[in-house]
């Protein structure tokens, strides 16, 4: 059975066909922390970590320590890295900047929902997600 992130990648890749992005999906077991997907469009490069949250309320994102460290260092160097989180219980996709990795992993107090940098419901606005990434990179 495919991992939930693999299914999210499949939907994301299909949803962005024809939008002019060159995608590279990585298997990063050899280099812990590197995000799942690298994209480039019109000379603008970015990374995306794919996550699927089973929490009823999205008050934290399951990022491992190596992922937090990589995203923090990459963002600090001026790189563009994002976390795309599918939240099946709300039927939303939520996008968070990588510079927020520590905040995402620690979660919110009082179980409040994390505030995404961008979100979309079904049908998912794949072009909107991409435009948000490119306009904030």
């Amino acid at each position: 059975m495919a991992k939930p992130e693999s299914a999210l990648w499949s939907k994301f890749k299909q949803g962005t066909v024809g939008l002019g992005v060159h995608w590279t999906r990585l298997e990063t077991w050899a280099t812990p922390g590197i995000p799942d997907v690298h994209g480039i469009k019109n000379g603008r490069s970015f990374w995306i970590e794919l996550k699927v949250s089973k929490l009823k309320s999205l008050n934290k994102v399951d990022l491992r320590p190596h992922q937090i460290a990589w995203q923090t260092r990459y963002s600090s160097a001026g790189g563009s890295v994002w976390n795309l989180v599918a939240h099946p219980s709300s039927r939303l996709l939520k996008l968070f900047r990588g510079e927020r990795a520590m905040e995402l992993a620690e979660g919110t107090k009082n179980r409040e929902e994390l505030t995404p940098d961008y979100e979309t419901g079904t049908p998912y606005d794949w072009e909107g997600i991409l435009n948000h990434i490119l306009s904030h990179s």
Side-chain angles (χ1 to χ4, degrees), residues 45-46 71-81 97 99 136-137:
S45 175
F46 54 91
Q71 289 187 28
T72 301
R73 284 193 314 268
Y74 193 79
S75 295
S76 294
S80 178
V81 60
R97 287 179 169 273
E99 64 195 35
H136 292 83
S137 295

Side-chain angles (χ1 to χ4, degrees), residues 3 9 47 54 58 62 69 78 93 103 106 112 114 136:
K3 290 172 56 174
W9 163 240
W47 290 90
K54 294 182 177 138
L58 187 59
D62 187 24
L93 284 178
E103 169 198 349
E106 288 177 351
E112 297 168 3
L114 289 164
H136 292 83

